[in-house]
Amino acid sequence: MEYRRNLLTREWVVYGPEIIEPESLIAQAQPRQETADLFPGEETPCPYCPESLGESPDILSIQCNGLPPGGIPQDAVPHTDPWDIKVIAALRPVFRIETPLNRHPRRLHDVMEAPGAHEKIILTSVHGQAIWDMTARRLEAGLQVLRHRMINLYRDPRLGHQYAYMVFGHTAGGLYGHSVLNLTASPFVVPVVRRELDGAYQWYHMKDRCLFSDLYEEEIVKRDTGKPHGVLLETSNFIALIPYFSGHPLEIWILPMDHLGDFTDTPVDRLPELARLLARIMKTLKNTLGPFPYVLSLMNQPNAAWGAGRGYWKTLDRDWMWRI
């Protein structure tokens, strides 16, 4: 047993080699035969199935094969029926776009309203379809929709940070067996990202280098010299790896090889490559473990203009990289 320090958060992680042997991991995962088993006692009806959505208004709906080659135009709001991917406002939103910021003191305390956005990107109309069941084309379309909505929300100067996540499986905290990506945009940076921003900032000022680039280059060097390494897959523009200080045995990062701090700066023509990489990882895990619960998140930088206006993160364009 040993401790490894997470270079981003400066927190210690317990590493026990004897409990992460492949056979042990598979046994712990208790492979299931049916995806439905990931949602015992699932609430019904599912609010994200087409019959539940009915005629409710949507923000965006597309068909995967109808996407233009250059991506979704920012001035277009396509609505297609039947749909493959649909974006709706959250049924019980954490933030509301129409709420004013309204910062004010309350004796010793700082208080503000909760302006922002909380959208649901429904990646499939098929209930029970996990990411490993999806084609790379559908995942590419989903990444295009995510990028499109993030660019759109960045137009609001009140919104400092966007965070995207998906929870699938009852034991991971998922409520419904539907693949839905949550996208929130808020007037503050969530604590987990703020800690990582601080860690990346400190590393850059110590080393004059990007921590994320150092991390994946270290794993590539170990791989190329025949040493144990965390590299899973590498393509022309992306790399998937298990970080040396991973918080759990199946923690996987996907990073751009180029220095891109904001996911919206990723060229549209690279999204098919990213989708194929994500699809391959998820299908391999499913074939090994059986259906499994998972949390997928996009760790993105804050809105650069929003941060600059507050004097934050002056080296943000050099010390941070997005990752899934």
Side-chain angles (χ1 to χ4, degrees):
M1 193 77 70
E2 67 181 18
Y3 292 93
R4 295 179 177 181
R5 191 192 289 275
N6 183 318
L7 297 178
L8 273 174
T9 64
R10 308 300 296 164
E11 297 169 340
W12 289 99
V13 176
V14 178
Y15 176 76
E18 69 280 0
I19 63 172
I20 60 169
E21 292 296 326
E23 294 77 11
S24 174
L25 286 177
I26 294 172
Q28 291 177 52
Q30 297 179 338
R32 300 164 175 85
Q33 298 303 311
E34 300 291 340
T35 303
D37 290 346
L38 294 175
F39 294 91
E42 180 182 6
E43 299 179 33
T44 56
C46 171
Y48 306 113
C49 287
E51 56 269 25
S52 297
L53 293 170
E55 300 298 322
S56 60
D58 58 27
I59 297 170
L60 180 74
S61 58
I62 66 163
Q63 292 178 337
C64 294
N65 293 328
L67 288 176
I72 304 171
Q74 284 305 307
D75 58 353
V77 186
H79 296 274
T80 60
D81 196 25
W83 53 271
D84 290 327
I85 297 176
K86 183 185 285 287
V87 184
I88 63 171
L91 305 176
R92 292 184 291 273
V94 178
F95 307 103
R96 297 180 184 274
I97 198 75
E98 64 273 10
T99 304
L101 190 60
N102 191 23
R103 293 180 183 268
H104 58 279
R106 185 174 294 163
R107 293 178 65 84
L108 293 177
H109 306 286
D110 296 324
V111 180
M112 68 177 175
E113 304 298 331
H118 185 186
E119 299 180 358
K120 301 276 187 174
I121 302 175
I122 307 170
L123 292 179
T124 174
S125 60
V126 180
H127 191 82
Q129 188 176 61
I131 288 182
W132 54 72
D133 297 317
M134 298 180 191
T135 64
R137 175 61 174 167
R138 179 177 294 275
L139 290 177
E140 176 200 344
L143 292 170
Q144 278 206 37
V145 169
L146 174 61
R147 182 179 181 274
H148 170 82
R149 292 307 306 153
M150 291 178 71
I151 292 173
N152 185 279
L153 291 172
Y154 269 146
R155 295 173 177 173
D156 191 328
R158 298 173 301 168
L159 306 183
H161 183 246
Q162 298 189 48
Y163 182 62
Y165 63 94
M166 175 190 294
V167 181
F168 195 86
H170 174 73
T171 56
L175 297 178
Y176 302 100
H178 217 109
S179 291
V180 177
L181 191 63
N182 290 271
L183 174 61
T184 63
S186 65
F188 56 84
V189 179
V190 296
V192 62
V193 178
R194 181 177 288 276
R195 287 196 299 272
E196 293 192 355
L197 283 162
D198 290 342
Y201 175 85
Q202 294 296 333
W203 183 270
Y204 182 84
H205 279 267
M206 285 190 299
K207 308 284 188 177
D208 200 27
R209 300 192 309 267
C210 168
L211 171 57
F212 298 93
S213 298
D214 281 359
L215 287 174
Y216 77 67
E217 287 174 2
E218 170 75 7
E219 296 304 321
I220 290 173
V221 168
K222 289 193 292 187
R223 179 198 62 187
D224 292 347
T225 55
K227 298 176 181 177
H229 62 87
V231 178
L232 298 179
L233 291 169
E234 182 182 354
T235 66
S236 298
N237 296 294
F238 302 99
I239 186 169
L241 57 84
I242 297 175
Y244 183 76
F245 47 76
S246 57
H248 57 85
L250 295 177
E251 179 178 353
I252 296 170
W253 291 10
I254 300 176
L255 296 148
M257 300 289 281
D258 289 342
H259 192 91
L260 297 171
D262 196 315
F263 180 74
T264 62
D265 291 333
T266 306
V268 174
D269 59 6
R270 295 185 185 178
L271 294 183
E273 179 184 340
L274 177 59
R276 290 192 297 270
L277 178 61
L278 178 58
R280 184 174 172 187
I281 289 172
M282 294 299 287
K283 290 178 191 297
T284 300
L285 284 172
K286 191 262 183 180
N287 291 339
T288 304
L289 301 172
F292 61 95
Y294 58 86
V295 177
L296 180 148
S297 59
L298 171 65
M299 308 297 281
N300 203 51
Q301 73 173 38
N303 183 336
W306 178 89
R310 290 159 175 77
Y312 297 156
W313 305 299
K314 292 181 173 60
T315 60
L316 187 61
D317 60 335
R318 287 162 281 166
D319 64 38
W320 180 265
M321 290 171 64
W322 68 258
R323 75 181 188 278
I324 294 173

